[in-house]
Amino acid sequence: MFVAEPALLPAHPAACALPPVQPSHPHSTSLRVGLIGVGTVGTGVWQLLARNRALLSARGGRAIALVAVATRSPERAAPLLATVPGVRLLADPLALATDPGVDVVLELAGGADAPLPWLLAAFAHGKHVVTANKALLARHGAQLAAAAARSGRTLAYEAAVAGAVPVVKTLREALAANRIDALEGILNGTSNFILTRMATHGASYAAALAEAQALGYAEADPTLDVGGQDAAHKLALLAAHAFGAPLREGAVHTEGITQLQPGDLTAAAHLGYAVRLLALARRVATVQGGQGLELRVHPALLPLAHPLAGVQGAHNGLLVQADAAGPLLLCGAGAGAQPTASAVLADLVDLARTGNGATPLPAFGTLPAGQAPLAPVPMAQVRGRHLLRLLPGRALCEAQAVRLLARAGLAVQRRAWLAAEAPGQGPQLLLLTGPAPEGVAQAAAQQLQQATGAQVRGLRVHDTQDTHEPGASRTA
Ligand SMILES: NC(=O)c1ccc[n+]([C@@H]2O[C@H](COP(=O)([O-])OP(=O)(O)OC[C@H]3O[C@@H](n4cnc5c(N)ncnc54)[C@H](O)[C@@H]3O)[C@@H](O)[C@H]2O)c1
Ligand SMILES: N[C@@H](CCO)C(=O)O
């Protein structure tokens, strides 16, 4: 979203030297897992492993055994340790990562940087790595993928994106034959929980965030959730698969839900839209005649008929536009201990099945030889429709506002009046624009604010008017 300026104002460590990789286990024995971090997800994994032990062994072809745990909170691990005899408790994650009795390092501690040396050491010592840590992967994924490839081991991270929903597996394996044209997602459970609680229960932002934290959905630092960075990390990982987009910090335009007001949600609902934190990666044709890649996370108005508008609470959704498969919708629990544990254990079952010797799947997508990644499309050139919400300080003339926008290059397709937000204020004017480059829409909103004195709040609309065909969605 964007808010026009007030009318009166102008407008790590270097890659380890690798010792020779030792085969860490014969395939016939159990898969020995070393867990770093016993928090929400670590506890969930432990519980699910205990509950479905026989099922997991049958599906993996051998037992999955937790053999060592590194934790900063032994008191939290104590009740779990009591249920599994023989698990070694370590204070140092690096010791666990290099432990000869561990085949797979399971990193569930979190943090964008701290786990890097542990996981590089794990690969250097011939271990596979499973992680749910999207912040780490978004920042260091290329380095970790290279280390995995050098050691012939697997870097698996299904749990890092969309919780229980198998989005990584779908892109990497099930859709391997397809050119992907677009990924439209709701990838942060906490933000979606807050938005749907506010819209459907009238909850306050603060109360809904506190509830999401209590339910174990939020990051240790929840500003990553509500600021959009968590969804951006996940989108970057998916775009690396789908488009071979390099993992690069700052590549995803990122806005969170913190600037939204309850009145924005009311106005959206009045016009038949739901507000969601949208994560979008799509190839578009540029005016220069080539193709570019939009990568963006921001609040957006989705028509109620859009498949992602129905994604409620902490659920996530991903709509994939694939050239052969067509549109494909994946949806389910996007956060929380058990849904995330489900994805973690799926990775462990894969490793139990394949074991050492199998060629690991590439950690991220690969481009054909000689093909360069798509160039990023600047936000000012992103084309779309907008809802302009005018909060007037004095009487507004609808026709004047529409004429002014038209002169600035922005057509109005629909108008509506909404009751004042508070006593003493005038009614709000809602103007739904036609498609235009974002730079044009922002400049027009600014002019409108200066001319009318109203506060103008701009919200992006995501609908089917700009289609997913690479030739149909044009940048400025
Ligand atoms: N909570 C979810 O729903 C969810 C879903 C998907 C992915 N994730 C990811 O999973 C990871 C863990 O998330 P969480 O919600 O369980 O977090 P959490 O804060 O509940 O748990 C992390 C645990 O790791 C421990 N830890 C941190 N540094 C450590 C160290 N150096 N040595 C030993 N232990 C250490 C902490 O003390 C804590 O107990 C994060 O990367 C998160 O982004 C979480
Ligand atoms: N904090 C994350 C956890 C799942 O990755 C979310 O709310 O989506």
Side-chain angles (χ1 to χ4, degrees), residues 35-43 69-73 76 90-93 107-111 114-115 118 131-136 158-164 190 215-221 224 230 234 334-341 344:
L35 167 65
I36 306 174
V38 187
T40 301
V41 182
T43 304
V69 173
T71 177
R72 281 199 307 213
S73 39
R76 190 163 183 177
L90 305 170
D92 180 9
E107 187 275 304
L108 298 174
W118 315 335
T131 178
N133 190 338
K134 53 270 172 167
L136 169 85
E158 184 63 67
V161 190
T190 300
L215 290 166
Y217 301 151
E219 296 300 299
D221 172 5
L224 292 170
D230 178 72
K234 293 164 176 168
Q338 286 296 298
T340 311
V344 167

Side-chain angles (χ1 to χ4, degrees), residues 6-91:
L8 294 178
L9 295 177
H12 201 320
C16 300
L18 293 180
V21 168
Q22 304 295 325
S24 65
H25 66 86
H27 191 206
S28 56
T29 61
S30 60
L31 184 75
R32 298 167 304 175
V33 178
L35 167 65
I36 306 174
V38 187
T40 301
V41 182
T43 304
V45 165
W46 202 312
Q47 290 166 340
L48 185 57
L49 191 52
R51 193 166 79 237
N52 289 349
R53 186 175 304 281
L55 203 59
L56 289 160
S57 293
R59 290 184 178 153
R62 55 180 166 147
I64 296 173
L66 201 52
V67 295
V69 173
T71 177
R72 281 199 307 213
S73 39
E75 68 295 341
R76 190 163 183 177
L80 301 169
L81 283 165
T83 64
V84 189
V87 178
R88 283 173 295 126
L89 194 57
L90 305 170

Side-chain angles (χ1 to χ4, degrees), residues 167-458:
V167 290
V168 174
K169 210 178 222 326
T170 299
L171 288 176
R172 181 161 56 184
E173 298 171 44
L175 294 179
N178 289 254
R179 185 195 69 207
I180 306 297
D181 289 327
L183 303 174
E184 296 168 61
I186 292 176
L187 298 179
N188 184 260
T190 300
S191 298
N192 206 56
F193 182 85
I194 294 170
L195 291 177
T196 51
R197 269 287 196 279
M198 287 173 72
T200 58
H201 291 66
S204 73
Y205 172 90
L209 172 57
E211 203 182 338
Q213 288 178 289
L215 290 166
Y217 301 151
E219 296 300 299
D221 172 5
T223 61
L224 292 170
D225 296 293
V226 295
Q229 292 88 352
D230 178 72
H233 293 152
K234 293 164 176 168
L235 185 68
L237 299 179
L238 296 185
H241 273 293
F243 303 102
L247 287 169
R248 191 172 55 76
E249 279 201 83
V252 179
H253 172 87
T254 306
E255 294 172 40
I257 61 168
T258 50
Q259 300 304 311
L260 284 172
Q261 297 178 350
D264 296 329
L265 275 58
T266 309
H270 185 74
L271 295 175
Y273 292 94
V275 180
R276 292 288 182 269
L277 183 65
L278 177 71
L280 183 79
R282 68 176 170 188
R283 78 174 71 230
V284 292
T286 62
V287 281
Q288 292 84 11
Q291 288 201 347
L293 185 66
E294 290 179 7
L295 274 180
R296 48 190 169 104
V297 167
H298 54 71
L301 271 55
L302 304 185
L304 293 179
H306 191 288
L308 295 180
V311 175
Q312 304 280 328
H315 276 201
N316 281 189
L318 185 72
L319 183 59
V320 185
Q321 305 288 346
D323 70 340
L328 198 98
L329 180 66
L330 299 160
C331 186
Q338 286 296 298
T340 311
S342 160
V344 167
L345 279 160
D347 279 345
L348 290 175
V349 168
D350 275 351
L351 285 172
R353 278 189 195 127
T354 53
N356 291 340
T359 307
L361 290 166
F364 300 104
T366 40
L367 287 169
Q371 186 173 316
L374 294 167
V377 175
M379 274 311 281
Q381 295 179 8
V382 164
R383 201 175 163 79
R385 300 168 72 216
H386 296 84
L387 168 62
L388 302 182
R389 178 171 165 243
L390 279 67
L391 304 167
R394 53 183 154 84
L396 270 178
C397 172
E398 179 181 323
Q400 182 208 356
V402 171
R403 267 198 312 275
L404 192 148
L405 288 176
R407 276 203 302 275
L410 206 54
V412 171
Q413 293 184 333
R414 197 174 153 198
R415 327 160 185 194
W417 287 93
L418 193 59
E421 272 200 308
Q425 292 180 355
Q428 308 167 48
L429 176 58
L430 308 180
L431 299 174
L432 206 48
T433 76
E438 172 134 342
V440 171
Q442 288 210 18
Q446 188 72 42
Q447 287 177 33
L448 185 61
Q449 177 154 293
Q450 279 165 354
T452 62
Q455 188 198 347
V456 179
R457 297 179 57 77

